[in-house]
Amino acid sequence: MKENINNKIKNKNETKNRKKLTNYLGKYKLGIFAYMFVYVIACGCNIFMTIILARAIELITTAVYKNAIICLGIVGGLYLVRRICWYVSGLLYNKYANAIMADLNIDLANQAFKLNSKTYADNDTGVFVQRIVYDPERIVSNLSNVVDIVTEIISSAIMVIYIACLNLYVGLALLGIISISTVIEIYRTRYLKKARADVFKKGDKINSLTTEIVRSEKDIKSLGLEQSLNKVAKDYYRSYTKANAHLETVNMNYYSLRNLLIEIAGVLLLILGVYFIDIGTISLATFMLIYSNNDHIRGLVWDLGEILTVVTDIKVCSERIFSIFDDNLFECEKFGSLQVENVKGTIEFKNVEYSYVEYEKPKDDEKKKKGKDKLERKVASTNKIFDNLSFKIDAYATVAFVGRSGSGKSTILNLMSKMYDVDGGQVLIDGIDIKEFDKPSLRKCISLVNQFPYIFDMTIKENLLLAKNDATDEELESAIERASLKDFVQSLPKKLDTKVGESGIKLSGGQKQRLAIARALLRNSPIIIFDESTSSLDNFAQEDIKHSIDKLKGKSTIVIVAHRLSTIRNVDKIFFLEDGKIEDIGTFDELFENNVKFKNLFYAENLK
């Protein structure tokens, strides 16, 4: 009960402190104020220029040329002031827009590091790329547009008010035109928000597919997947194009209706003006003023529509961006606050339960009805992996988990390294539940070498220094040698300073894994996990890695998952898994001698 109350309080605080766009704007409020102040001066120049020009026209029509020239001189001075203001505002915009965008990008990238592994597994790559890279730029660009459009609205509005004050009937006609056009714009932007969110979602899928095609070009070519993927790409692009075309068509229909109304109203307004001249209600100068500023009427309605469009765009992008900070939608890793030093490396699973759960994605109307914070995720499917799983690994032991595909080997490693969280039971390191560890303590004590390690678009040395930024040259050389990478590095013209390309594209599969192993060895963690880390190595390199692992025996707790059973002959203990249960435990020789399934698995893999 107490835990539930604490969770509710925590969720309430998280909701209260959730990031908003105003948090980022507030940080630079003085600079933004200066930008807007300068822009307002430029806007004021526009307004006075319009009014004074109107006065100059009136003076010219009444042959008062001297005063007309003075008015035009003032207009020239205002042009100069406006130009200076625009230049200064441009400098301020460049400075603060880039700062705001950088803050958004950095915070979003940091948040991306906090998301748990399942969140990434449940979402396309494009979902994150678009939100982290493109949406902030779109928001900042639109914020500038808001200022531009607002100043235009103010300028046009003052001129329209000025014209309306000249004649009551003209004023009422203008009010009617603007009111009807605004109603049309409100309906247009309501549709726009929903349709644009759908277009962005389809754009995310295209971005994900493009990323996958670029990263897997060798597999695509070698397996002849071009045609199949081309069909998938066509389907995605057609879906995106169809949604975007429908959005633009509806948008155009609203625009056309509004513009037609304004154009007809403009002509009627001029007819009304001619009628008023005929009956002597207004002068010719006033009529000329209405005629010459007819564009301000059209511009005011246009700008009102544009401001609604831009604000809608900002709102959609903001919702997409800040949804990443919403744990209900994009779940984060959870850590404790305990700082743990001098970890020895004893690992224990106590009555662990874990299931792969797929959730249904909430629909937009459900979000609106319940609100994001009250929204309960609906389970689409559940696959039970472990039920009451228990075992213990002694500190400094070297153990392996083996079993057929789907038996739960990699899931154990993910739970062990807290990439996944258990549904029930405990995972303990040195008798402490890993949920209590703070993030630095847990990450420091475990190094994981994946089956398909990611190598960054850096030099070999820079990739290694990511694991330990203060590593000495001697430590780097030692890690490279222990990972059987020394001969390869020495054969390169630039040695450690060789760039490996994005995702290590310039390296073979075996070289990538050896570099990843060197990176893990450099951290010198008390627990080192190898997940199929020798699967891409040739027999010679595999033998070298086996020797490297043997050298670590007694210095760290080594946990290995391997399909190639010949790589684990020398481990202290093997856990044989089947259907999420530990069927047997023993040395290689004991299992080979006494367990028929283990022996058959060994022969089936043709590794003897």
Side-chain angles (χ1 to χ4, degrees), residues 509-528:
Q511 289 161 353
K512 284 184 191 179
Q513 286 196 325
R514 278 178 277 179
L515 180 54
I517 290 169
R519 201 162 57 187
L521 295 176
L522 194 61
R523 296 186 71 213
N524 199 28
S525 302
I527 299 170
I528 303 178

Side-chain angles (χ1 to χ4, degrees), residues 355-368:
S355 300
Y356 283 118
V357 180
E358 293 290 334
Y359 293 98
E360 292 181 6
K361 291 193 176 180
K363 297 176 182 177
D364 291 336
D365 56 346
E366 288 179 343
K367 291 179 187 177
K368 287 178 182 176

Side-chain angles (χ1 to χ4, degrees), residues 456-508:
F456 294 90
D457 186 11
M458 303 174 178
T459 65
I460 293 173
K461 184 175 183 178
E462 287 168 339
N463 265 282
L464 291 170
L465 290 176
L466 288 173
K468 188 179 182 185
N469 56 21
D470 59 348
T472 64
D473 290 341
E474 289 76 18
E475 287 175 317
L476 293 174
E477 288 177 13
S478 173
I480 288 167
E481 187 171 359
R482 286 187 293 159
S484 304
L485 200 63
K486 185 176 180 179
D487 290 343
F488 168 69
V489 171
Q490 291 300 318
S491 69
L492 298 170
K494 292 186 178 180
K495 307 291 191 294
L496 283 173
D497 294 319
T498 302
K499 288 265 287 184
V500 296
E502 187 177 354
S503 191
I505 196 168
K506 296 179 183 178
L507 304 177
S508 68

Side-chain angles (χ1 to χ4, degrees), residues 351-357 382-386 415 421-425 435:
N351 310 118
V352 166
E353 296 179 9
Y354 182 74
S355 300
Y356 283 118
V357 180
T382 303
N383 180 21
K384 191 88 170 179
I385 306 300
F386 299 128
L415 293 170
D421 288 318
V422 298
D423 297 331
K435 289 181 179 178

Side-chain angles (χ1 to χ4, degrees), residues 328-570:
N328 287 323
L329 301 175
F330 296 93
E331 194 172 347
C332 292
E333 295 178 305
K334 307 290 190 299
F335 294 93
S337 57
L338 187 65
Q339 294 182 1
V340 183
E341 300 290 339
N342 303 317
V343 171
K344 291 182 172 54
T346 301
I347 304 168
E348 185 176 4
F349 276 46
K350 290 180 74 172
N351 310 118
V352 166
E353 296 179 9
Y354 182 74
S355 300
Y356 283 118
V357 180
E358 293 290 334
Y359 293 98
E360 292 181 6
K361 291 193 176 180
K363 297 176 182 177
D364 291 336
D365 56 346
E366 288 179 343
K367 291 179 187 177
K368 287 178 182 176
K369 285 178 184 177
K370 298 184 179 180
K372 288 179 185 176
D373 300 312
K374 297 178 182 178
L375 190 65
E376 293 181 7
R377 293 191 295 173
K378 296 178 182 177
V379 175
S381 63
T382 303
N383 180 21
K384 191 88 170 179
I385 306 300
F386 299 128
D387 187 12
N388 201 34
L389 178 68
S390 299
F391 63 83
K392 187 173 182 179
I393 301 170
D394 295 327
Y396 309 114
T398 299
V399 304
F401 288 87
V402 301
R404 298 183 187 280
S405 295
S407 58
K409 305 184 297 295
S410 292
T411 305
I412 284 177
L413 301 190
N414 283 318
L415 293 170
M416 195 180 287
S417 56
K418 208 177 181 301
M419 297 298 170
Y420 298 163
D421 288 318
V422 298
D423 297 331
Q426 293 177 298
V427 178
L428 309 171
I429 293 178
D430 289 356
I432 304 169
D433 193 324
I434 61 173
K435 289 181 179 178
E436 297 179 26
F437 280 65
D438 66 3
K439 186 174 182 177
S441 298
L442 185 65
R443 295 291 180 242
K444 185 180 177 183
C445 75
I446 299 175
S447 289
L448 174 64
V449 181
N450 288 308
Q451 183 177 1
F452 303 107
Y454 195 90
I455 307 300
F456 294 90
D457 186 11
M458 303 174 178
T459 65
I460 293 173
K461 184 175 183 178
E462 287 168 339
N463 265 282
L464 291 170
L465 290 176
L466 288 173
K468 188 179 182 185
N469 56 21
D470 59 348
T472 64
D473 290 341
E474 289 76 18
E475 287 175 317
L476 293 174
E477 288 177 13
S478 173
I480 288 167
E481 187 171 359
R482 286 187 293 159
S484 304
L485 200 63
K486 185 176 180 179
D487 290 343
F488 168 69
V489 171
Q490 291 300 318
S491 69
L492 298 170
K494 292 186 178 180
K495 307 291 191 294
L496 283 173
D497 294 319
T498 302
K499 288 265 287 184
V500 296
E502 187 177 354
S503 191
I505 196 168
K506 296 179 183 178
L507 304 177
S508 68
Q511 289 161 353
K512 284 184 191 179
Q513 286 196 325
R514 278 178 277 179
L515 180 54
I517 290 169
R519 201 162 57 187
L521 295 176
L522 194 61
R523 296 186 71 213
N524 199 28
S525 302
I527 299 170
I528 303 178
I529 299 173
F530 295 93
D531 185 6
E532 304 286 1
S533 55
T534 62
S535 61
S536 297
L537 304 182
D538 57 42
N539 289 332
F540 294 105
Q542 178 184 299
E543 206 55 42
D544 289 336
I545 295 299
K546 280 172 61 180
H547 289 313
S548 298
I549 294 173
D550 287 342
K551 289 177 186 176
L552 290 170
K553 289 182 74 172
K555 297 177 184 176
S556 296
T557 303
I558 311 293
V559 181
I560 305 168
V561 160
H563 279 305
R564 299 168 74 172
L565 302 188
S566 59
T567 62
I568 56 168
R569 280 181 177 272
N570 298 329

Side-chain angles (χ1 to χ4, degrees), residues 37-51:
F37 179 73
V38 173
Y39 219 99
V40 165
I41 294 174
C43 174
C45 290
N46 265 341
I47 294 166
F48 284 115
M49 281 162 51
T50 304
I51 294 171

